[in-house]
Amino acid sequence: MNNMKLYIVGMGLAVMSLTGCTAGFLDVESKKESTTGNFYRTESDAWRALIGCYDGWQCTTSSQACAFYFASQIMADECFAGMGNTDARNYQVIDRFDATQSPSDMNLLETEWTNYYAAVYRCNELLAHEGQISWTSDQTRNTYMGECRALRALCYFDMVRLWENIPLFTEPVNENRAQANPEEVYNLIFSDLKFAADNIPAGAYPKSAAASNDGHITKFAAEALLARVYLFYTGYYGKEPQVEGVTKASVLQGLEDFISVAETEGYGLVEEFKNLWPAASTSWSRNAATGDYTQTTTYAGKGNKEVVLAQKFNYTQDYDGNNDGNRWLVYMGIRSYLNHAPYGKGWGGCTVNPKMWTVYGAGDARREASIINLDSEGIADDSEYAKSYADQREYTGYAVKKYTPMSKWVKDEKSGAWSLVDEVSGLGKGDFQISQYQDFIVMRYADVLLMAAELGSPSAQAYLNQVRQRAYTVNDGKGNLSVSGDYREVAVTKENIIKERMLEFAFEGQRYWDLLRQGVDYAASQIAGTTSVVSGGNPEDVSITVSNITGKRGFSQIPNNQITLSNGVLKQNVGWY
């Protein structure tokens, strides 16, 4: 794979050198090495620099570390940290907001800290040189700069939600800077996303943008992200943004404008929920007479009409610097020994809280599409199950289905024998630990509908009904779809919308932030409790206390190394001393 190479100056609080994380449109062949001295002259230079910004954003996930998504999952009430029974308890620190789980782990999420600031630096570098680029059209300039600012906003939004108190950089500088007031960070996020929504033309990319733009941030994605940030900020902090043009009415209008043209632009709800997810829509059957295996899939594909924005990944990641894989996906796989098509093996992280199996109503297809039930799906009968069970920490009998490694049956052309292999090795492309390539869906059209309903759209009931009816849609096997008799309309209230979000976006990294924006006390009340699990084959309790969450105001530990490197300019978050 060809990697873009831009030499950039390091920043004191973050390691700035990143290897290429290229995938899809991120692939660029550099004919010569470029520096800031001979770069940023043409639109081609700007395009390459923009690719570098996307590459930096991708590296926040594809480098080996916890990743924002994984942390979001285990902080919520959906999942426990899990992993191997003899592994370090670093993820239990995050899950339980409790440093005593592993007192020596004082630098949790440090890779995320450095990678996010590296990505921000790339965005600031492009923005700082905007004026010296010879632009041929305002549309190109507005598109590139809008995408760049939206990427910076995405990075800062993840960071400010994780740590709240972070340094703010809007220019590519190398200095030891104190933490900013969170309001300043959010003001920049709002300003960047508003600029993107106002300046990226609706027609910057072809219709059915999710299918054809290959991961670019569009006007519609910016409008949706602006609403997500607005709901979190106003919910957690209880005040309105201090950015001109960003109000509840304007944010809602952006969503309504998107919804009004969604069909024309190629967006909408995928007809059956399970078809959004590779594992949920794929099955294998065996011909008893021939012994041959056949795969059946109804997966709507990476570029389906419901995807408003996805973080792109590829299967070409290796140990030589190509960091373009979905590195956290292996964390989600059923522990160690099991390949049970279509599911592949992994490290056993994010074991599903049993309560998530029970919260879905009768006939709600989202339960089976979202959760692997190891008993009902016959996985507990696998000959290798006992080894996996004995090696698993915080086993609950449930695993995440939306995001999980995949396996497949492959026939040996010479012997005719069938064997079960990791999907990536079955493609002949890579290592299951690093080369997973399922995209992470950052924003779905269903979220656009539910946010518009929550913000008070006159069509709120219709939007909520669309999402719920899809959840109860059944297929008669002949392609005829109908709404199950189990479907019941629910009134549009904030409580019902938040519950619907829990059911719709389970295991998509949204639940913790939806809880926290209701207030830290409410979030703690939903997350805290004691749940019986099995670790290493023996009974254990996972206990999460209210005070551990409220005492830290719901935020994460700032890596201690960063505080040391700053000579004390950075201060640790409350509760993590």
Side-chain angles (χ1 to χ4, degrees), residues 495-574:
E495 180 181 8
N496 284 341
I497 292 172
I498 294 298
K499 180 178 180 181
E500 200 62 35
R501 292 184 63 84
M502 174 180 68
L503 304 174
E504 179 71 19
F505 305 119
F507 319 115
E508 296 181 47
Q510 297 302 320
R511 173 67 173 167
Y512 180 70
W513 311 111
D514 280 345
L515 289 175
L516 194 58
R517 67 183 174 89
Q518 310 308 310
V520 67
D521 291 334
Y522 177 77
S525 73
Q526 299 301 300
I527 297 169
T530 298
T531 305
S532 296
V533 298
V534 177
S535 294
N538 298 309
E540 184 189 18
D541 288 337
V542 173
S543 294
I544 302 173
T545 66
V546 166
S547 60
N548 272 346
I549 301 172
T550 58
K552 299 171 179 66
R553 300 180 57 249
F555 296 111
S556 297
Q557 180 187 43
I558 292 173
N560 189 64
N561 282 345
Q562 297 301 315
I563 295 173
T564 301
L565 287 169
S566 76
N567 293 319
V569 171
L570 296 181
K571 307 300 180 185
Q572 184 57 267
N573 280 335
V574 63

Side-chain angles (χ1 to χ4, degrees), residues 232-248:
F232 184 83
Y233 179 77
T234 57
Y236 186 85
Y237 293 99
K239 55 185 178 183
E240 291 293 315
Q242 299 301 305
V243 174
E244 184 178 357
V246 180
T247 64
K248 182 178 181 180

Side-chain angles (χ1 to χ4, degrees), residues 15-128:
V15 178
M16 288 291 98
S17 60
L18 286 177
T19 54
C21 302
T22 56
F25 79 90
L26 300 181
D27 290 347
V28 164
E29 182 175 0
S30 179
K31 300 300 184 184
K32 63 180 181 178
E33 293 181 349
S34 301
T35 70
T36 53
N38 62 16
F39 201 64
Y40 299 110
R41 295 289 186 267
T42 67
E43 284 185 352
S44 177
D45 293 340
W47 172 250
R48 290 177 60 207
L50 178 61
I51 291 169
C53 297
Y54 276 101
D55 182 83
W57 179 48
Q58 185 193 62
C59 280
T60 63
T61 287
S62 59
S63 297
Q64 184 178 12
C66 180
F68 180 83
Y69 167 82
F70 188 78
S72 298
Q73 285 298 103
I74 62 179
M75 288 191 293
D77 57 344
E78 301 169 302
C79 297
F80 303 120
M83 309 297 279
N85 190 49
T86 60
D87 287 345
R89 299 188 66 84
N90 49 340
Y91 298 123
Q92 276 65 32
V93 173
I94 299 171
D95 180 25
R96 307 186 195 191
F97 292 82
D98 183 3
T100 67
Q101 291 290 317
S102 186
S104 64
D105 278 306
M106 301 177 67
N107 295 298
L108 297 168
L109 303 173
E110 183 175 30
T111 301
E112 284 67 40
W113 179 281
T114 58
N115 284 347
Y116 274 114
Y117 274 111
V120 166
Y121 189 100
R122 293 183 179 197
C123 295
N124 286 338
E125 185 81 11
L126 175 54
L127 292 168

Side-chain angles (χ1 to χ4, degrees), residues 318-340:
D318 56 33
Y319 295 102
D320 297 319
N322 290 317
N323 292 330
D324 59 6
N326 185 337
R327 195 66 182 265
W328 53 255
L329 197 70
V330 71
Y331 289 32
M332 315 294 291
I334 299 169
R335 180 69 188 174
S336 292
Y337 303 101
L338 293 174
N339 267 337
H340 197 281

Side-chain angles (χ1 to χ4, degrees), residues 87-296:
D87 287 345
R89 299 188 66 84
N90 49 340
Y91 298 123
Q92 276 65 32
V93 173
I94 299 171
D95 180 25
R96 307 186 195 191
F97 292 82
D98 183 3
T100 67
Q101 291 290 317
S102 186
S104 64
D105 278 306
M106 301 177 67
N107 295 298
L108 297 168
L109 303 173
E110 183 175 30
T111 301
E112 284 67 40
W113 179 281
T114 58
N115 284 347
Y116 274 114
Y117 274 111
V120 166
Y121 189 100
R122 293 183 179 197
C123 295
N124 286 338
E125 185 81 11
L126 175 54
L127 292 168
H129 292 87
E130 175 187 358
Q132 71 186 51
I133 295 168
S134 298
W135 300 98
T136 61
S137 72
D138 288 340
Q139 176 171 322
T140 301
R141 179 175 186 165
N142 290 341
T143 300
Y144 290 7
M145 293 302 104
E147 290 182 62
C148 183
R149 291 183 63 169
L151 285 167
R152 182 172 68 176
L154 272 169
C155 291
Y156 271 127
F157 187 42
D158 286 355
M159 286 194 286
V160 77
R161 283 185 292 172
L162 276 175
W163 298 294
E164 187 183 40
N165 300 297
I166 59 173
L168 179 64
F169 293 86
T170 58
E171 61 287 312
V173 295
N174 179 9
E175 66 181 47
N176 189 7
R177 185 173 291 187
Q179 291 138 304
N181 185 310
E183 185 173 337
E184 294 180 59
V185 181
Y186 276 100
N187 284 344
L188 179 71
I189 294 169
F190 284 122
S191 296
D192 279 350
L193 289 175
K194 185 176 188 303
F195 179 91
D198 290 346
N199 287 277
I200 300 175
Y205 298 100
K207 292 180 181 179
S208 191
S212 60
N213 69 26
D214 204 16
H216 280 280
I217 295 172
T218 63
K219 171 184 179 66
F220 307 115
E223 289 170 336
L225 290 168
L226 186 60
R228 178 176 288 172
V229 179
Y230 177 88
L231 284 169
F232 184 83
Y233 179 77
T234 57
Y236 186 85
Y237 293 99
K239 55 185 178 183
E240 291 293 315
Q242 299 301 305
V243 174
E244 184 178 357
V246 180
T247 64
K248 182 178 181 180
S250 68
V251 170
L252 173 58
Q253 189 59 54
L255 296 180
E256 297 281 30
D257 290 345
F258 179 8
I259 294 168
S260 70
V261 299
E263 185 174 358
T264 301
E265 293 292 337
Y267 293 98
L269 297 179
V270 166
E271 286 72 16
E272 291 185 80
F273 185 83
K274 68 181 179 66
N275 294 341
L276 284 163
W277 316 105
S281 57
T282 301
S283 61
W284 288 86
S285 58
R286 188 180 191 189
N287 186 307
T290 66
D292 289 340
Y293 288 89
T294 302
Q295 182 192 64
T296 301

